[in-house]
Amino acid sequence: MFDLKGKVAIVTGGNGGIGLGMARGLASAGARIVVAARNQEKSRAAVAELARLGPEAVTIAVDVADEASVGALVRATIDRWGRIDILVNNAGTNIRKPAQDLALEEWRRVIDTNLTSAFLCCRAVHPAMKAAGAGKIINIGSMMSIFGASFVPAYGASKGGIVQLTKSLACAWARDNIQVNAVLPGWIDTELTREARQQIPGLHDNVLRRTPAGRWGVIDDLAGIAVFLASSASDFITGAAMPVDGGYSIQG
Ligand code: NDP
């Protein structure tokens, strides 16, 4: 039920953090992985690790905010392996400022990287998935898909948008047998949140206090949900937004 042998997965931002944690899960379940990100040094290191866990992994450089670059990623994947079964839209960024200090260019950079990217990647893989008669898309939201915070106007808008985009695509493509779901990670220890810990006083202790599990997540906490949502085990689940957060979102 969780076997991904023969499947091909594109993981955007798969060269580190949550994307790498999900890619590890997918590779261990037998999928071939395309690590799709900008930093090729990081991507090569991730590919070397993933190739030890699973059948095969490659890196294809992409800027997910760029339509032509996303098109080239999808064409290169099909040229190499002839199929795309799984897409993980994980690439993301944040600029932490209150709205009154956020420049339009900064707003656009966050929305383009976190939200428009997911639209572009989903649209680009749809023809191959439809032709194959099946597909699995996993979009990465956040606790900011649910909650607000004063310093994340663009990030929060992008992550709220991810959930609604997920629902629209899930409705549109259900009859193509393409399931589209969102994962909402809690606070996970990555480069992104290490930067946040430096910028937001008290964040580390607040996360520990507020998370019922009493710890920060690690990237391997995301491996299981990736395998579940990429496999036939989740064939009747679509349009869902699933927290993976040690209980952060359910504690009042
Ligand atoms: P990291 O900073 O570790 O990873 C971000 C990844 O996105 C990198 O692999 C980066 O690769 C890639 N990326 C960024 N911009 C682009 C771009 N324009 N084109 C292609 N790839 C890009 O952060 P996380 O692992 O923490 O974050 C991953 C996702 O999880 C994000 O969507 C984030 O919002 C979300 N998230 C994280 C949480 C956490 O606690 N860590 C909580 C909730 C959600 P490169 O720089 O090489 O391009």
Side-chain angles (χ1 to χ4, degrees), residues 13-19 36-39 42 62-65 90-92 113 140-143 155 159 185-188 190-193:
N15 63 6
I18 288 174
R38 295 164 305 177
N39 182 323
K42 270 177 72 183
V62 69
D63 178 353
V64 289
N90 160 81
T113 305
I140 305 306
S142 161
M143 289 297 101
Y155 186 83
K159 294 300 186 179
W187 289 92
I188 314 294
T190 67
E191 274 177 34
L192 193 71
T193 48

Side-chain angles (χ1 to χ4, degrees), residues 50-131:
L50 294 168
R52 284 192 295 275
L53 287 176
E56 216 177 331
V58 295
T59 168
I60 299 176
V62 69
D63 178 353
V64 289
D66 182 87
E67 185 177 16
S69 182
V70 168
L73 163 69
V74 167
R75 279 194 302 280
T77 305
I78 296 201
D79 286 349
R80 185 173 178 104
W81 283 325
R83 57 193 296 152
I84 300 168
D85 304 281
I86 301 154
L87 166 67
V88 181
N89 284 309
N90 160 81
T93 193
N94 197 358
I95 298 174
R96 296 176 195 86
K97 287 183 182 178
Q100 62 271 28
D101 298 335
L102 194 71
L104 179 58
E105 186 278 323
E106 293 174 319
W107 166 271
R108 286 194 171 128
R109 193 167 357 129
V110 174
I111 297 287
D112 286 354
T113 305
N114 296 3
L115 179 58
T116 310
S117 60
F119 160 67
L120 290 175
C121 291
C122 289
R123 196 184 58 173
V125 300
H126 178 252
M129 289 184 173
K130 183 178 162 80

